[in-house]
Amino acid sequence: VAMDESSNMLKLQVNQAKTGTMIDIHGAKLVDGIVLSTSLEQLSTGMSFAVEDTPFLSNGKLLNIQTISSQSVNPILFRLNNIDDGTGVYFRSTHLTTGTVLDLSTKTGNKMVYASNTASKGGKVFVIDGQNEAKGTLLNVRGYSLVKGSAVKITGFGKSIQSNGHLMEIVSNASIPTNGVVNVGADSVVKGTIMHVSLDETENGRGVHLSTSTGSSMNKYGVLLKIDGDSQKRGTLLDVLALGLVSGSAVKITTGNKAIDLVTKSSFLSSGAFQLRSDSLEYGKAWKISSDNFHRGSLLEIKTKSVAMDESSNMLKLQVNQAKTGTMIDIHGAKLVDGIVLSTS
């Protein structure tokens, strides 16, 4: 019972040897069993196995585990079934600059397969399995002091994002994800940008594509894109900048039904519910409505059910107070044979 930290049950000293093997265990025909077993039932602050480093280590290995089996299931297994609030495996590298703490690589391998509908059969370099957990975080990246760089960086080149490839694929089977399948919390941001998408060389691609695919179950309450700023009193909720655009459209909406439903609940609007400003326009048209196949109905309808209108009210008001020449309203009907140009009731 008098053994202390300087005592050794077995000590091998080969201080002058530069090559060779210190311990060589052969079990060529071993099928089942254990090659090396340690039992330390009362170990508390010590270590079961220690490898002392050398300052001269370069291409050598402190630990080299290899198997040539093509049928191995768990060649390296860590069992930590009773751990509660501690850490199972810990890597520490306080002087890291340009190196890598943990590198998982298939090297020159190129036989991995992708199975979108049966993800369990597809090839995977890294897996986190917590499918029975109902709470908690499966992957936690902490970068509180990060001012440059990226907490998570995914890089793909060439064919990695062609065809059905994705740099990131998020799949959820939840039918009611109340907090969002993807949730970005940046409530402390005062200035700057929360999400930035750059497509400097795009020609006919898409920066962001929201699609219901073949789904057709949306009802009148379904929303594909929602911007919620009910508590804001100033600012702009959607800002589209395209000052260099000479052809095309800054915003284009194509639909088989009503394209825009503009609703305001304000009782007073000094600038109007809809404002079109083209103060720099000298030639051309500020607003154009085209309907070449028009047959019946109204191209422009202004309607109110108000009974409070008085002599100061206007259904339509044109203001050109500074103009000295020109035409306020120009109606062309060159081929009109029958009908009415202007009707009042």
PDB file of all heavy atoms in Angstrom, residues 316 329 331 339-345:
ATOM      1  N   LEU A 316     -60.643  61.555 -57.552  1.00  0.00           N
ATOM      2  CA  LEU A 316     -59.470  61.632 -58.416  1.00  0.00           C
ATOM      3  C   LEU A 316     -59.006  63.068 -58.462  1.00  0.00           C
ATOM      4  O   LEU A 316     -59.792  63.971 -58.755  1.00  0.00           O
ATOM      5  CB  LEU A 316     -59.800  61.137 -59.834  1.00  0.00           C
ATOM      6  CG  LEU A 316     -58.660  61.201 -60.860  1.00  0.00           C
ATOM      7  CD1 LEU A 316     -57.501  60.306 -60.443  1.00  0.00           C
ATOM      8  CD2 LEU A 316     -59.163  60.813 -62.246  1.00  0.00           C
ATOM      9  N   ILE A 329     -55.520  65.865 -69.252  1.00  0.00           N
ATOM     10  CA  ILE A 329     -56.072  64.546 -69.566  1.00  0.00           C
ATOM     11  C   ILE A 329     -56.166  64.421 -71.074  1.00  0.00           C
ATOM     12  O   ILE A 329     -56.758  65.271 -71.740  1.00  0.00           O
ATOM     13  CB  ILE A 329     -57.458  64.335 -68.936  1.00  0.00           C
ATOM     14  CG1 ILE A 329     -57.383  64.419 -67.399  1.00  0.00           C
ATOM     15  CG2 ILE A 329     -58.029  62.979 -69.349  1.00  0.00           C
ATOM     16  CD1 ILE A 329     -58.716  64.272 -66.718  1.00  0.00           C
ATOM     17  N   ILE A 331     -57.384  61.813 -74.022  1.00  0.00           N
ATOM     18  CA  ILE A 331     -58.113  60.594 -74.319  1.00  0.00           C
ATOM     19  C   ILE A 331     -58.086  60.366 -75.823  1.00  0.00           C
ATOM     20  O   ILE A 331     -58.529  61.225 -76.591  1.00  0.00           O
ATOM     21  CB  ILE A 331     -59.574  60.684 -73.812  1.00  0.00           C
ATOM     22  CG1 ILE A 331     -59.600  60.924 -72.296  1.00  0.00           C
ATOM     23  CG2 ILE A 331     -60.331  59.409 -74.166  1.00  0.00           C
ATOM     24  CD1 ILE A 331     -60.986  61.128 -71.736  1.00  0.00           C
ATOM     25  N   GLY A 339     -70.316  54.185 -79.042  1.00  0.00           N
ATOM     26  CA  GLY A 339     -69.942  54.145 -77.640  1.00  0.00           C
ATOM     27  C   GLY A 339     -69.851  55.533 -77.058  1.00  0.00           C
ATOM     28  O   GLY A 339     -70.274  56.522 -77.652  1.00  0.00           O
ATOM     29  N   ILE A 340     -69.253  55.643 -75.898  1.00  0.00           N
ATOM     30  CA  ILE A 340     -69.171  56.905 -75.155  1.00  0.00           C
ATOM     31  C   ILE A 340     -67.729  57.107 -74.716  1.00  0.00           C
ATOM     32  O   ILE A 340     -67.084  56.196 -74.194  1.00  0.00           O
ATOM     33  CB  ILE A 340     -70.101  56.867 -73.920  1.00  0.00           C
ATOM     34  CG1 ILE A 340     -71.562  56.660 -74.350  1.00  0.00           C
ATOM     35  CG2 ILE A 340     -69.984  58.151 -73.128  1.00  0.00           C
ATOM     36  CD1 ILE A 340     -72.498  56.412 -73.191  1.00  0.00           C
ATOM     37  N   VAL A 341     -67.186  58.279 -74.946  1.00  0.00           N
ATOM     38  CA  VAL A 341     -65.825  58.600 -74.518  1.00  0.00           C
ATOM     39  C   VAL A 341     -65.774  58.852 -73.025  1.00  0.00           C
ATOM     40  O   VAL A 341     -64.926  58.349 -72.301  1.00  0.00           O
ATOM     41  CB  VAL A 341     -65.278  59.815 -75.286  1.00  0.00           C
ATOM     42  CG1 VAL A 341     -63.909  60.216 -74.749  1.00  0.00           C
ATOM     43  CG2 VAL A 341     -65.207  59.512 -76.770  1.00  0.00           C
ATOM     44  N   LEU A 342     -66.683  59.612 -72.484  1.00  0.00           N
ATOM     45  CA  LEU A 342     -66.720  59.934 -71.057  1.00  0.00           C
ATOM     46  C   LEU A 342     -68.165  59.896 -70.595  1.00  0.00           C
ATOM     47  O   LEU A 342     -69.002  60.586 -71.150  1.00  0.00           O
ATOM     48  CB  LEU A 342     -66.098  61.314 -70.805  1.00  0.00           C
ATOM     49  CG  LEU A 342     -66.023  61.789 -69.356  1.00  0.00           C
ATOM     50  CD1 LEU A 342     -65.138  60.843 -68.541  1.00  0.00           C
ATOM     51  CD2 LEU A 342     -65.494  63.218 -69.267  1.00  0.00           C
ATOM     52  N   SER A 343     -68.425  59.077 -69.595  1.00  0.00           N
ATOM     53  CA  SER A 343     -69.790  58.910 -69.103  1.00  0.00           C
ATOM     54  C   SER A 343     -69.855  59.272 -67.636  1.00  0.00           C
ATOM     55  O   SER A 343     -68.989  58.883 -66.857  1.00  0.00           O
ATOM     56  CB  SER A 343     -70.283  57.482 -69.310  1.00  0.00           C
ATOM     57  OG  SER A 343     -71.552  57.290 -68.723  1.00  0.00           O
ATOM     58  N   THR A 344     -70.849  60.043 -67.243  1.00  0.00           N
ATOM     59  CA  THR A 344     -71.092  60.382 -65.842  1.00  0.00           C
ATOM     60  C   THR A 344     -72.513  59.994 -65.499  1.00  0.00           C
ATOM     61  O   THR A 344     -73.423  60.114 -66.318  1.00  0.00           O
ATOM     62  CB  THR A 344     -70.878  61.890 -65.577  1.00  0.00           C
ATOM     63  OG1 THR A 344     -71.818  62.635 -66.353  1.00  0.00           O
ATOM     64  CG2 THR A 344     -69.461  62.307 -65.958  1.00  0.00           C
ATOM     65  N   SER A 345     -72.684  59.520 -64.273  1.00  0.00           N
ATOM     66  CA  SER A 345     -74.016  59.118 -63.841  1.00  0.00           C
ATOM     67  C   SER A 345     -74.289  59.727 -62.470  1.00  0.00           C
ATOM     68  O   SER A 345     -73.561  59.463 -61.506  1.00  0.00           O
ATOM     69  CB  SER A 345     -74.107  57.598 -63.775  1.00  0.00           C
ATOM     70  OG  SER A 345     -75.342  57.180 -63.259  1.00  0.00           O
TER      71      SER A 345
END
